[in-house]
Amino acid sequence: MTAAHWPMPRSMASYSVPEAAMLAAIHAAGLQQPVSEYQFARPRKWRLDFCWPDRKLAVECEGGTWTEGRHVRGAGFLEDARKYNSAALGGWLVLRFTSEQIASGEAIGVVERGMRARPAPAPPAPKRRERNARAAG
């Protein structure tokens, strides 16, 4: 399941350490380039770390698992639950990974399974050209 090769960003400064590792794994696996920081539930400002909107498949990189980061503390956990529920109700499959799952390779295997479970829609068939009735007459 390979996609056309796409360039990695010149700078990874805008990504967290787990996000940068996940993006590198997606690239190395030859998967289709994901959209980063996709706002999926306007007017809410919720964003998905990485996604493939045509598949409604998303990847969330959960940092701070063992250091009491934002995602595992009360308010952050609550807001993430709201975000993930909204995504699910909107038809999204959200795959969540810890830094350990990304580093071990477990995450990319699950993403590949998600890509197979959510294939990209077929491109629309080309429209048939209809003859101009005047030109034919």
Side-chain angles (χ1 to χ4, degrees):
M1 173 185 320
T2 60
H5 188 71
W6 43 275
M8 286 288 287
R10 288 186 188 269
S11 171
M12 299 297 262
S14 64
Y15 297 99
S16 67
V17 171
E19 289 169 348
M22 188 74 236
L23 186 59
I26 291 167
H27 185 269
L31 300 179
Q32 174 188 352
Q33 183 176 10
V35 176
S36 299
E37 295 298 315
Y38 183 76
Q39 190 174 351
F40 72 97
R42 294 181 190 272
R44 297 297 301 247
K45 294 189 184 215
W46 289 324
R47 298 180 187 280
L48 299 166
D49 292 338
F50 300 109
C51 74
W52 295 268
D54 59 338
R55 300 169 187 258
K56 284 203 163 186
L57 177 66
V59 168
E60 284 286 296
C61 303
E62 307 291 2
T65 309
W66 304 105
T67 59
E68 296 186 33
R70 187 197 79 76
H71 296 286
V72 296
R73 289 193 315 251
F77 189 87
L78 175 61
E79 192 61 16
D80 281 351
R82 288 179 175 136
K83 172 179 151 179
Y84 299 140
N85 288 339
S86 179
L89 291 171
W92 285 87
L93 174 59
V94 179
L95 304 174
R96 299 174 61 197
F97 302 107
T98 65
S99 298
E100 292 81 10
Q101 290 173 298
I102 295 166
S104 73
E106 176 186 347
I108 196 63
V110 174
V111 171
E112 289 173 323
R113 287 178 30 215
M115 297 285 266
R116 287 191 297 273
R118 293 271 178 123
K127 291 184 179 180
R128 291 181 48 183
R129 292 182 56 191
E130 294 184 29
R131 291 181 102 189
N132 184 329
R134 286 187 179 183

